[in-house]
Amino acid sequence: MRVGVPKEVKVHEYRVGLVPGSVREIVAHGHEVVVQAGAGAAIGFPDDAYTAAGATVAADAEEVFATAGLVVKVKEPQPAEWARLRPGQVLFTYLHLAPDPDQAKGLMASGASAVAYETVTDANGGLPLLAPMSEVAGRMAVQVGARCLEKETGGAGILLSGVPGVPGAKVAILGGGVVGSNAARIAQGMRARVTVLDRAPRALQALDVEFGGTVDTLFATAEAVEDAVLAADLVIGAVLVPGAAAPRLVTREMIARMRPGSVVVDVAIDQGGCFETSRPTTHAEPTYLVDGVVHYCVTNMPGAVARTSAVALNNATLPFILQLADKGLRRACAENPHLAAGVNVHQGGIAHPAVAAALGLDYHPFGKDA
């Protein structure tokens, strides 16, 4: 099979679908790889590194899409990329279709099969291709939140860690999964006063054991969420319903009651966001104010640390890419139901139940006739 890697076109997105080490592994399996010129150059992977790994370097994206049977990306395809996809082709990337009906329609119209990193599962019920970027985003959320609390960015002028005689900032984390637990580790390490809210008792118990009681844990009732949000200097939205739109846990009225200069970081923005006042932003213009509260809602947070993120993502995606290349979509998914869970679009229909429900479209299960 020919595997294609186009250069990412989203604003300030420097990650790349395959790093040279992954290309070498794919070529060793007997496949061809075509990489768009400059695809990894911004993060220290020049074209000659790909050539040395066995890839062919294409002059433009048109050549990549026209010749590849499997297209590997990082972020959701943009409108110009939908038009380049074709029936029988497989796209493997993050999609986040639930809040994006236009993209869903574009992919359906293309006739291609689109497999989403974020809904591939594992034997433990986890999301192994979302996890590495969730780890990055969770850790970054505290980093950017601390920056946004500084006065010149619109924040209240609070140092996250505090100093002797002055307490650290109050940080409320909505969700105790991969994003939330990683955010808690960084925030607690920076000596902030941390509260994590979740509806899963096991998640709260695990956090309590890990932190030895130095991080407060709360069951996420509506009252507990409201109280924590209103008391916090920094709120991190870290909730996830696989494939579906994120629940809106924080209302506009609650935002209006927060202290001016408080900060919200919505890591769930890829799935629509968990704050009612959230709207997608970019690394070029990452923040905006609502009622004096700083909102950071960048949809590709890990893109800011693109080299770390690209390598971490490849570590997770490479085994699945090899399965798709070695066996094709039908056989790979028949043999691996966890990969099959990643199929979101197939033969013009939505093939994931949560995505179909979120978009209000018919669900067309991906079956053995694929």
Side-chain angles (χ1 to χ4, degrees):
M1 182 178 288
R2 173 168 273 207
V3 181
V5 184
K7 185 176 181 179
E8 296 294 321
V9 294
K10 193 162 186 172
V11 176
H12 286 293
E13 180 54 74
Y14 304 110
R15 288 174 291 180
V16 63
L18 291 175
V19 299
S22 296
V23 169
R24 184 175 176 179
E25 293 290 325
I26 294 168
V27 171
H29 275 241
H31 306 292
E32 299 177 51
V33 179
V34 57
V35 179
Q36 184 179 348
I43 55 172
F45 299 126
D47 291 345
D48 58 8
Y50 285 102
T51 303
T56 299
V57 174
D60 52 37
E62 285 82 359
E63 182 179 347
V64 173
F65 279 90
T67 62
L70 170 62
V71 176
V72 178
K73 280 175 44 63
V74 178
K75 287 304 292 177
E76 69 277 0
Q78 302 302 297
E81 295 175 309
W82 310 338
R84 296 184 180 124
L85 292 167
R86 64 180 187 275
Q89 197 169 42
V90 178
L91 172 68
F92 196 30
T93 189
Y94 288 116
L95 294 176
H96 300 292
L97 291 178
D100 195 350
D102 289 340
Q103 185 200 169
K105 292 174 184 176
L107 292 176
M108 291 164 67
S110 76
S113 297
V115 185
Y117 293 159
E118 72 271 11
T119 63
V120 172
T121 58
D122 63 22
N124 299 316
L127 302 171
L129 306 190
L130 189 61
M133 295 304 93
S134 295
E135 291 168 352
V136 171
R139 295 176 184 217
M140 274 193 66
V142 179
Q143 187 171 300
V144 300
R147 172 62 176 153
C148 290
L149 279 171
E150 296 177 12
K151 193 63 181 175
E152 67 270 25
T153 63
I158 294 174
L159 180 64
L160 196 72
S161 65
V163 294
V166 183
K170 292 182 178 179
V171 178
I173 301 171
L174 308 180
V178 178
V179 172
S181 60
N182 276 273
R185 290 182 191 111
I186 302 303
Q188 193 265 355
M190 294 178 71
R191 304 180 70 173
R193 294 174 290 169
V194 183
T195 299
V196 182
L197 299 95
D198 201 289
R199 286 185 173 272
R202 285 187 179 181
L204 299 177
Q205 183 181 37
L207 289 166
D208 186 66
V209 170
E210 176 180 350
F211 293 108
T214 60
V215 167
D216 291 331
T217 57
L218 293 174
F219 187 78
T221 62
E223 181 179 40
V225 169
E226 181 173 358
D227 289 347
V229 166
L230 296 181
D233 301 299
L234 168 61
V235 183
I236 296 172
V239 296
L240 173 70
V241 179
R248 295 297 179 94
L249 299 182
V250 178
T251 66
R252 180 175 293 274
E253 184 270 339
M254 289 163 62
I255 292 290
R257 292 168 59 198
M258 293 178 70
R259 288 189 300 276
S262 300
V263 174
V264 298
V265 176
D266 198 345
V267 184
I269 191 64
D270 277 322
Q271 295 294 124
C274 61
F275 300 90
E276 196 172 26
T277 47
S278 291
R279 58 176 173 79
T281 62
T282 68
H283 288 294
E285 296 183 42
T287 64
Y288 60 92
L289 291 173
V290 176
D291 295 322
V293 176
V294 181
H295 288 57
Y296 181 101
C297 304
V298 174
T299 54
N300 59 331
M301 284 180 65
V305 287
R307 186 179 175 101
T308 296
S309 297
V311 175
L313 180 59
N314 270 231
N315 291 343
T317 58
L318 180 59
F320 295 95
I321 293 168
L322 290 173
Q323 290 174 44
L324 287 168
D326 289 347
K327 303 172 183 179
L329 181 66
R330 182 194 62 79
R331 181 180 163 200
C333 289
E335 295 181 5
N336 185 350
H338 301 297
L339 177 59
V343 180
N344 279 207
V345 179
H346 180 65
Q347 294 182 344
I350 299 297
H352 192 285
V355 174
L359 294 170
L361 297 173
D362 291 337
Y363 167 48
H364 297 274
F366 175 74
K368 294 182 179 180
D369 60 335

